[in-house]
Structure formats: structure tokens, C-alpha cells
mmCIF file of all heavy atoms in Angstrom:
data_model
loop_
_atom_site.group_PDB
_atom_site.id
_atom_site.type_symbol
_atom_site.label_atom_id
_atom_site.label_comp_id
_atom_site.label_asym_id
_atom_site.label_seq_id
_atom_site.Cartn_x
_atom_site.Cartn_y
_atom_site.Cartn_z
ATOM 1 N N GLU D 206 -1.885 -39.859 -21.162
ATOM 2 C CA GLU D 206 -1.560 -40.297 -19.774
ATOM 3 C C GLU D 206 -0.606 -41.412 -19.709
ATOM 4 O O GLU D 206 -0.708 -42.320 -20.600
ATOM 5 C CB GLU D 206 -2.961 -40.828 -19.182
ATOM 6 C CG GLU D 206 -3.908 -39.763 -18.735
ATOM 7 C CD GLU D 206 -5.089 -39.777 -19.767
ATOM 8 O OE1 GLU D 206 -4.887 -40.416 -20.810
ATOM 9 O OE2 GLU D 206 -6.101 -39.124 -19.473
ATOM 10 N N MET D 207 0.252 -41.386 -18.802
ATOM 11 C CA MET D 207 1.415 -42.355 -18.674
ATOM 12 C C MET D 207 1.049 -43.131 -17.338
ATOM 13 O O MET D 207 0.790 -42.531 -16.396
ATOM 14 C CB MET D 207 2.706 -41.663 -18.644
ATOM 15 C CG MET D 207 4.010 -42.598 -18.554
ATOM 16 S SD MET D 207 5.485 -41.759 -18.377
ATOM 17 C CE MET D 207 5.518 -40.743 -20.006
ATOM 18 N N GLU D 208 1.217 -44.338 -17.416
ATOM 19 C CA GLU D 208 1.068 -45.273 -16.190
ATOM 20 C C GLU D 208 2.313 -45.035 -15.229
ATOM 21 O O GLU D 208 3.475 -45.201 -15.692
ATOM 22 C CB GLU D 208 0.930 -46.732 -16.571
ATOM 23 C CG GLU D 208 -0.249 -46.975 -17.392
ATOM 24 C CD GLU D 208 -1.586 -46.760 -16.583
ATOM 25 O OE1 GLU D 208 -1.594 -46.831 -15.381
ATOM 26 O OE2 GLU D 208 -2.596 -46.548 -17.119
ATOM 27 N N THR D 209 2.149 -44.736 -14.047
ATOM 28 C CA THR D 209 3.203 -44.442 -13.065
ATOM 29 C C THR D 209 2.836 -45.193 -11.746
ATOM 30 O O THR D 209 1.623 -45.525 -11.449
ATOM 31 C CB THR D 209 3.340 -43.043 -12.929
ATOM 32 O OG1 THR D 209 2.338 -42.511 -11.880
ATOM 33 C CG2 THR D 209 3.320 -42.140 -14.174
ATOM 34 N N PRO D 210 3.804 -45.175 -10.784
ATOM 35 C CA PRO D 210 3.451 -45.609 -9.373
ATOM 36 C C PRO D 210 2.411 -44.800 -8.772
ATOM 37 O O PRO D 210 1.740 -45.258 -7.887
ATOM 38 C CB PRO D 210 4.861 -45.550 -8.681
ATOM 39 C CG PRO D 210 5.857 -45.568 -9.878
ATOM 40 C CD PRO D 210 5.215 -44.993 -10.912
ATOM 41 N N MET D 211 2.173 -43.596 -9.174
ATOM 42 C CA MET D 211 1.108 -42.670 -8.595
ATOM 43 C C MET D 211 -0.239 -43.016 -9.270
ATOM 44 O O MET D 211 -1.135 -42.250 -9.017
ATOM 45 C CB MET D 211 1.506 -41.224 -8.739
ATOM 46 C CG MET D 211 2.760 -40.771 -8.010
ATOM 47 S SD MET D 211 3.022 -39.058 -8.125
ATOM 48 C CE MET D 211 3.346 -38.763 -9.800
ATOM 49 N N GLY D 212 -0.300 -43.958 -10.210
ATOM 50 C CA GLY D 212 -1.504 -44.064 -11.031
ATOM 51 C C GLY D 212 -1.230 -43.368 -12.429
ATOM 52 O O GLY D 212 -0.213 -42.748 -12.652
ATOM 53 N N PRO D 213 -2.320 -43.400 -13.184
ATOM 54 C CA PRO D 213 -2.069 -42.625 -14.560
ATOM 55 C C PRO D 213 -1.984 -41.089 -14.253
ATOM 56 O O PRO D 213 -2.592 -40.572 -13.527
ATOM 57 C CB PRO D 213 -3.458 -42.931 -15.260
ATOM 58 C CG PRO D 213 -4.019 -44.183 -14.614
ATOM 59 C CD PRO D 213 -3.540 -44.018 -13.105
ATOM 60 N N GLN D 214 -0.923 -40.542 -15.077
ATOM 61 C CA GLN D 214 -0.621 -39.218 -14.880
ATOM 62 C C GLN D 214 -0.648 -38.593 -16.309
ATOM 63 O O GLN D 214 0.088 -39.163 -17.250
ATOM 64 C CB GLN D 214 0.676 -38.941 -14.264
ATOM 65 C CG GLN D 214 0.853 -39.252 -12.803
ATOM 66 C CD GLN D 214 -0.107 -38.500 -11.824
ATOM 67 O OE1 GLN D 214 0.038 -37.293 -11.943
ATOM 68 N NE2 GLN D 214 -0.943 -39.123 -11.011
ATOM 69 N N GLU D 215 -1.286 -37.458 -16.551
ATOM 70 C CA GLU D 215 -1.353 -36.806 -17.842
ATOM 71 C C GLU D 215 -0.245 -35.907 -17.979
ATOM 72 O O GLU D 215 0.025 -35.173 -17.006
ATOM 73 C CB GLU D 215 -2.692 -36.070 -18.028
ATOM 74 C CG GLU D 215 -2.794 -35.407 -19.368
ATOM 75 C CD GLU D 215 -4.140 -34.748 -19.565
ATOM 76 O OE1 GLU D 215 -5.058 -34.887 -18.754
ATOM 77 O OE2 GLU D 215 -4.250 -34.029 -20.574
ATOM 78 N N PHE D 216 0.483 -35.847 -19.039
ATOM 79 C CA PHE D 216 1.595 -35.038 -19.284
ATOM 80 C C PHE D 216 1.152 -33.962 -20.339
ATOM 81 O O PHE D 216 0.407 -34.181 -21.223
ATOM 82 C CB PHE D 216 2.749 -35.686 -19.955
ATOM 83 C CG PHE D 216 3.511 -36.512 -18.911
ATOM 84 C CD1 PHE D 216 3.038 -37.621 -18.250
ATOM 85 C CD2 PHE D 216 4.916 -36.211 -18.762
ATOM 86 C CE1 PHE D 216 3.845 -38.305 -17.272
ATOM 87 C CE2 PHE D 216 5.638 -36.904 -17.754
ATOM 88 C CZ PHE D 216 5.026 -37.859 -17.109
ATOM 89 N N GLN D 217 1.394 -32.659 -20.158
ATOM 90 C CA GLN D 217 1.156 -31.491 -20.877
ATOM 91 C C GLN D 217 2.442 -30.709 -21.173
ATOM 92 O O GLN D 217 3.341 -30.496 -20.334
ATOM 93 C CB GLN D 217 0.152 -30.523 -20.284
ATOM 94 C CG GLN D 217 -1.354 -30.963 -20.444
ATOM 95 C CD GLN D 217 -2.150 -29.793 -20.111
ATOM 96 O OE1 GLN D 217 -1.743 -28.853 -19.396
ATOM 97 N NE2 GLN D 217 -3.543 -30.053 -20.397
ATOM 98 N N LEU D 218 2.658 -30.123 -22.340
ATOM 99 C CA LEU D 218 3.634 -29.297 -22.679
ATOM 100 C C LEU D 218 2.881 -27.883 -22.792
ATOM 101 O O LEU D 218 2.079 -27.660 -23.670
ATOM 102 C CB LEU D 218 4.267 -29.632 -24.111
ATOM 103 C CG LEU D 218 4.986 -30.905 -24.119
ATOM 104 C CD1 LEU D 218 5.585 -31.127 -25.579
ATOM 105 C CD2 LEU D 218 6.013 -31.193 -23.068
ATOM 106 N N LYS D 219 3.255 -26.885 -21.967
ATOM 107 C CA LYS D 219 2.772 -25.592 -21.903
ATOM 108 C C LYS D 219 3.741 -24.692 -22.581
ATOM 109 O O LYS D 219 4.802 -24.486 -22.081
ATOM 110 C CB LYS D 219 2.434 -25.215 -20.596
ATOM 111 C CG LYS D 219 1.735 -23.827 -20.575
ATOM 112 C CD LYS D 219 1.394 -23.387 -19.110
ATOM 113 C CE LYS D 219 0.608 -21.984 -19.000
ATOM 114 N NZ LYS D 219 0.273 -21.673 -17.661
ATOM 115 N N GLY D 220 3.348 -24.065 -23.727
ATOM 116 C CA GLY D 220 4.109 -23.169 -24.469
ATOM 117 C C GLY D 220 4.697 -23.839 -25.640
ATOM 118 O O GLY D 220 5.714 -23.357 -26.377
ATOM 119 N N ALA D 221 4.097 -24.933 -26.182
ATOM 120 C CA ALA D 221 4.675 -25.663 -27.358
ATOM 121 C C ALA D 221 4.146 -25.163 -28.712
ATOM 122 O O ALA D 221 4.022 -25.953 -29.603
ATOM 123 C CB ALA D 221 4.351 -27.195 -27.158
ATOM 124 N N GLY D 222 3.585 -24.026 -28.745
ATOM 125 C CA GLY D 222 3.103 -23.449 -30.047
ATOM 126 C C GLY D 222 1.619 -23.277 -30.052
ATOM 127 O O GLY D 222 0.831 -23.843 -29.274
ATOM 128 N N PRO D 223 1.096 -22.828 -31.222
ATOM 129 C CA PRO D 223 -0.373 -22.537 -31.288
ATOM 130 C C PRO D 223 -1.028 -23.831 -31.480
ATOM 131 O O PRO D 223 -0.542 -24.861 -31.995
ATOM 132 C CB PRO D 223 -0.455 -21.729 -32.580
ATOM 133 C CG PRO D 223 0.829 -22.043 -33.365
ATOM 134 C CD PRO D 223 1.921 -22.249 -32.340
ATOM 135 N N THR D 224 -2.375 -23.859 -31.013
ATOM 136 C CA THR D 224 -3.258 -24.922 -31.257
ATOM 137 C C THR D 224 -4.522 -24.388 -31.807
ATOM 138 O O THR D 224 -4.683 -23.229 -32.115
ATOM 139 C CB THR D 224 -3.580 -25.605 -29.873
ATOM 140 O OG1 THR D 224 -4.578 -24.675 -29.153
ATOM 141 C CG2 THR D 224 -2.377 -25.802 -28.974
ATOM 142 N N PRO D 225 -5.500 -25.361 -32.172
ATOM 143 C CA PRO D 225 -6.748 -24.712 -32.764
ATOM 144 C C PRO D 225 -7.501 -23.858 -31.828
ATOM 145 O O PRO D 225 -8.485 -23.247 -32.164
ATOM 146 C CB PRO D 225 -7.580 -25.996 -33.041
ATOM 147 C CG PRO D 225 -6.547 -27.200 -33.192
ATOM 148 C CD PRO D 225 -5.476 -26.802 -32.240
ATOM 149 N N PHE D 226 -7.215 -23.752 -30.519
ATOM 150 C CA PHE D 226 -7.699 -22.921 -29.511
ATOM 151 C C PHE D 226 -6.874 -21.816 -29.057
ATOM 152 O O PHE D 226 -7.274 -21.287 -27.938
ATOM 153 C CB PHE D 226 -8.119 -23.783 -28.332
ATOM 154 C CG PHE D 226 -8.838 -25.128 -28.710
ATOM 155 C CD1 PHE D 226 -8.293 -26.322 -28.534
ATOM 156 C CD2 PHE D 226 -10.153 -25.079 -29.387
ATOM 157 C CE1 PHE D 226 -8.832 -27.433 -28.931
ATOM 158 C CE2 PHE D 226 -10.768 -26.243 -29.808
ATOM 159 C CZ PHE D 226 -10.119 -27.534 -29.608
ATOM 160 N N SER D 227 -5.933 -21.328 -29.807
ATOM 161 C CA SER D 227 -5.050 -20.248 -29.418
ATOM 162 C C SER D 227 -5.687 -18.882 -29.607
ATOM 163 O O SER D 227 -5.041 -17.985 -29.130
ATOM 164 C CB SER D 227 -3.731 -20.468 -30.174
ATOM 165 O OG SER D 227 -3.089 -21.476 -29.791
ATOM 166 N N ARG D 228 -6.749 -18.825 -30.320
ATOM 167 C CA ARG D 228 -7.447 -17.487 -30.506
ATOM 168 C C ARG D 228 -6.512 -16.480 -31.042
ATOM 169 O O ARG D 228 -6.351 -15.297 -30.492
ATOM 170 C CB ARG D 228 -8.097 -17.100 -29.222
ATOM 171 C CG ARG D 228 -9.276 -17.892 -28.791
ATOM 172 C CD ARG D 228 -9.912 -17.513 -27.559
ATOM 173 N NE ARG D 228 -9.082 -17.651 -26.362
ATOM 174 C CZ ARG D 228 -9.335 -16.999 -25.229
ATOM 175 N NH1 ARG D 228 -10.384 -16.334 -24.996
ATOM 176 N NH2 ARG D 228 -8.463 -17.272 -24.252
ATOM 177 N N ARG D 229 -5.797 -16.901 -32.096
ATOM 178 C CA ARG D 229 -4.799 -15.898 -32.767
ATOM 179 C C ARG D 229 -3.606 -15.651 -31.916
ATOM 180 O O ARG D 229 -2.702 -14.770 -32.356
ATOM 181 C CB ARG D 229 -5.516 -14.562 -33.111
ATOM 182 C CG ARG D 229 -6.657 -14.777 -34.154
ATOM 183 C CD ARG D 229 -7.192 -13.481 -34.717
ATOM 184 N NE ARG D 229 -7.674 -12.772 -33.558
ATOM 185 C CZ ARG D 229 -9.056 -12.797 -32.955
ATOM 186 N NH1 ARG D 229 -9.739 -13.754 -33.602
ATOM 187 N NH2 ARG D 229 -9.423 -12.113 -32.066
ATOM 188 N N GLY D 230 -3.342 -16.411 -30.789
ATOM 189 C CA GLY D 230 -2.155 -16.197 -30.110
ATOM 190 C C GLY D 230 -1.115 -17.062 -30.664
ATOM 191 O O GLY D 230 -1.307 -18.021 -31.547
ATOM 192 N N ASP D 231 0.198 -17.000 -30.144
ATOM 193 C CA ASP D 231 1.294 -17.602 -30.728
ATOM 194 C C ASP D 231 1.447 -18.954 -30.011
ATOM 195 O O ASP D 231 2.333 -19.899 -30.382
ATOM 196 C CB ASP D 231 2.595 -16.833 -30.569
ATOM 197 C CG ASP D 231 2.840 -16.327 -29.174
ATOM 198 O OD1 ASP D 231 2.488 -16.929 -28.166
ATOM 199 O OD2 ASP D 231 3.730 -15.473 -29.035
ATOM 200 N N GLY D 232 0.679 -19.288 -28.895
ATOM 201 C CA GLY D 232 0.745 -20.540 -28.157
ATOM 202 C C GLY D 232 2.080 -20.833 -27.376
ATOM 203 O O GLY D 232 2.308 -21.832 -26.923
ATOM 204 N N ARG D 233 2.846 -19.726 -27.296
ATOM 205 C CA ARG D 233 4.094 -19.852 -26.607
ATOM 206 C C ARG D 233 4.109 -19.337 -25.138
ATOM 207 O O ARG D 233 3.094 -18.486 -24.825
ATOM 208 C CB ARG D 233 5.169 -18.984 -27.253
ATOM 209 C CG ARG D 233 5.800 -19.517 -28.520
ATOM 210 C CD ARG D 233 6.276 -20.902 -28.341
ATOM 211 N NE ARG D 233 6.931 -21.342 -29.575
ATOM 212 C CZ ARG D 233 7.372 -22.665 -29.789
ATOM 213 N NH1 ARG D 233 7.226 -23.537 -28.837
ATOM 214 N NH2 ARG D 233 7.894 -23.035 -30.943
ATOM 215 N N ALA D 234 4.876 -19.800 -24.340
ATOM 216 C CA ALA D 234 4.983 -19.314 -22.897
ATOM 217 C C ALA D 234 6.409 -18.739 -22.938
ATOM 218 O O ALA D 234 7.406 -19.130 -23.641
ATOM 219 C CB ALA D 234 4.943 -20.464 -21.941
ATOM 220 N N VAL D 235 6.629 -17.791 -22.036
ATOM 221 C CA VAL D 235 7.899 -17.139 -21.893
ATOM 222 C C VAL D 235 8.617 -17.684 -20.750
ATOM 223 O O VAL D 235 8.083 -18.219 -19.779
ATOM 224 C CB VAL D 235 7.786 -15.562 -21.684
ATOM 225 C CG1 VAL D 235 7.013 -15.034 -22.945
ATOM 226 C CG2 VAL D 235 6.973 -15.274 -20.458
ATOM 227 N N LEU D 236 10.014 -17.369 -20.658
ATOM 228 C CA LEU D 236 10.761 -17.911 -19.489
ATOM 229 C C LEU D 236 10.193 -17.510 -18.150
ATOM 230 O O LEU D 236 10.210 -18.243 -17.233
ATOM 231 C CB LEU D 236 12.217 -17.504 -19.742
ATOM 232 C CG LEU D 236 13.211 -18.028 -18.756
ATOM 233 C CD1 LEU D 236 13.324 -19.589 -18.875
ATOM 234 C CD2 LEU D 236 14.555 -17.323 -18.946
ATOM 235 N N ARG D 237 9.909 -16.277 -17.990
ATOM 236 C CA ARG D 237 9.384 -15.753 -16.717
ATOM 237 C C ARG D 237 8.235 -16.506 -16.205
ATOM 238 O O ARG D 237 8.325 -17.039 -15.043
ATOM 239 C CB ARG D 237 9.032 -14.262 -16.926
ATOM 240 C CG ARG D 237 8.254 -13.688 -15.699
ATOM 241 C CD ARG D 237 7.899 -12.199 -16.106
ATOM 242 N NE ARG D 237 9.007 -11.333 -16.283
ATOM 243 C CZ ARG D 237 9.776 -10.860 -15.321
ATOM 244 N NH1 ARG D 237 9.352 -11.024 -14.062
ATOM 245 N NH2 ARG D 237 10.741 -10.033 -15.536
ATOM 246 N N SER D 238 7.173 -16.610 -16.934
ATOM 247 C CA SER D 238 5.971 -17.379 -16.413
ATOM 248 C C SER D 238 6.218 -18.805 -16.299
ATOM 249 O O SER D 238 5.619 -19.404 -15.351
ATOM 250 C CB SER D 238 4.810 -17.158 -17.426
ATOM 251 O OG SER D 238 4.991 -17.622 -18.676
ATOM 252 N N SER D 239 7.055 -19.362 -17.123
ATOM 253 C CA SER D 239 7.312 -20.812 -17.041
ATOM 254 C C SER D 239 8.137 -21.114 -15.681
ATOM 255 O O SER D 239 7.791 -22.198 -14.982
ATOM 256 C CB SER D 239 8.151 -21.310 -18.192
ATOM 257 O OG SER D 239 7.417 -21.093 -19.395
ATOM 258 N N ILE D 240 9.047 -20.304 -15.315
ATOM 259 C CA ILE D 240 9.845 -20.447 -14.070
ATOM 260 C C ILE D 240 8.879 -20.346 -12.872
ATOM 261 O O ILE D 240 8.824 -21.024 -11.911
ATOM 262 C CB ILE D 240 10.979 -19.529 -13.865
ATOM 263 C CG1 ILE D 240 12.112 -19.836 -14.928
ATOM 264 C CG2 ILE D 240 11.565 -19.405 -12.537
ATOM 265 C CD1 ILE D 240 13.229 -19.017 -15.022
ATOM 266 N N ARG D 241 8.049 -19.288 -12.902
ATOM 267 C CA ARG D 241 7.059 -19.183 -11.901
ATOM 268 C C ARG D 241 6.070 -20.347 -11.642
ATOM 269 O O ARG D 241 5.869 -20.774 -10.519
ATOM 270 C CB ARG D 241 6.258 -17.867 -12.045
ATOM 271 C CG ARG D 241 7.025 -16.598 -11.796
ATOM 272 C CD ARG D 241 6.215 -15.367 -12.166
ATOM 273 N NE ARG D 241 4.959 -15.263 -11.516
ATOM 274 C CZ ARG D 241 4.675 -14.755 -10.291
ATOM 275 N NH1 ARG D 241 5.750 -14.356 -9.555
ATOM 276 N NH2 ARG D 241 3.490 -14.814 -9.715
#
């Protein structure tokens, strides 16, 4: 979380690769879904 004028805001990167919870997925997002 980053302190901002709106109060603390959490930042996430969606599509930044696999995590321990990717369930054998690649952890990536594609351009189509990211734009949407």
C-alpha cells in the first residue's frame, strides 16, 4: 500500500508471471484482457 491523498492504496501488477497460487498457469495476462 502506498500513502496517497485518497488514503492508502494497494498496487497490484496483474500478469506479472506465475506465483505460488498459479495452479500450473503461466501467471500472464494478455493484451486483450488487460485493455478490457
Side-chain angles (χ1 to χ4, degrees):
E206 292 103 346
M207 186 183 295
E208 296 295 335
T209 79
M211 299 187 292
Q214 298 290 312
E215 183 177 350
F216 283 66
Q217 277 191 351
L218 301 182
K219 184 176 181 180
T224 75
F226 311 112
S227 295
R228 294 181 293 170
R229 297 185 299 278
D231 58 20
R233 287 299 187 193
V235 297
L236 183 64
R237 170 182 298 275
S238 62
S239 299
I240 288 174
R241 281 174 58 83

